[in-house]
Amino acid sequence: MENDLSPLLTRIAEALERLAPPPAASATFEGARLFRRDTASGAFLPAPDYGLPLDLLVGVDRQKARFGQNLERFATGLPFNHALLWGVRGTGKSSMAKAAFMAAAKTHARLKMIEIDRDEVSHLPALFDLLRGRDEAFLVLCDDLSFEDGAQAAKDLKSALEGGVAGPPANVMFVATSNRRHLMPRDHEESRGAIAAQEDAEEEVS
């Protein structure tokens, strides 16, 4: 009886193997310094170096100095801060982040940049766990970040930055740019009472 079931069990096992997703390819960051994250495939797509020199960005010397100092601390393993670059459209927020990274990467070969879309913030906890413990140091850049579609993206970002019980990964620095200083929606008063609106605001700002 056992022999009669063997062909059937073999076919079932083969069918399950065909249905199973292929194993994810191990991430590699050789051959480039800038990458884009393809969420659908999980691949890191290399991008050419950013060509704008940092000294061509004028009128933001204080911001360049502060951001560069923070990035240097990150690259050398010292305590650092995640960063939000905010200002009106066209003031060079994204350009400054990329140009400062390129300037630092010339000195620190372990630096890599990964750019993600703002719609992919929900994938940040998994991305940070994937990068945790690697030899490289990663600047994860999200351009034009906002939370207009709800609070879940803000909670996902908070979870990624705090890192849960394991703590935040020491080799990942998150940088966001935004046209807004305050990223949460401004319509609390229109939909809820003042107390509830204040609680909503405090939850999202946290």
Side-chain angles (χ1 to χ4, degrees), residues 60 62-63 67 83-94 96-97 142-145 175-183 186:
V60 288
R62 182 174 61 87
Q63 292 86 344
F67 186 80
L84 169 65
L85 306 178
W86 67 275
V88 298
R89 182 179 58 184
T91 52
K93 302 178 293 295
S94 178
M96 187 177 74
C142 182
D143 198 20
D144 198 19
L145 178 66
V175 176
T177 71
S178 178
N179 296 334
R180 294 180 172 183
R181 182 178 183 181
H182 301 285
L183 302 179
R186 298 295 187 90

Side-chain angles (χ1 to χ4, degrees), residues 99-158:
F101 166 81
M102 290 303 304
K106 294 177 180 178
T107 304
H108 304 283
R110 66 190 292 258
L111 275 180
K112 305 288 181 179
M113 174 182 281
I114 300 174
E115 187 173 12
I116 66 167
D117 293 332
R118 66 177 180 178
D119 296 333
E120 298 175 359
V121 171
S122 61
H123 299 279
L124 279 177
L127 174 61
F128 281 23
D129 285 341
L130 178 64
L131 302 178
R132 182 191 300 272
R134 293 186 61 100
D135 293 333
E136 301 92 346
F138 298 95
L139 190 158
V140 177
L141 175 65
C142 182
D143 198 20
D144 198 19
L145 178 66
S146 67
F147 301 133
E148 294 178 354
D149 295 333
Q152 185 57 48
K155 293 179 180 179
D156 291 331
L157 175 58
K158 180 181 178 182

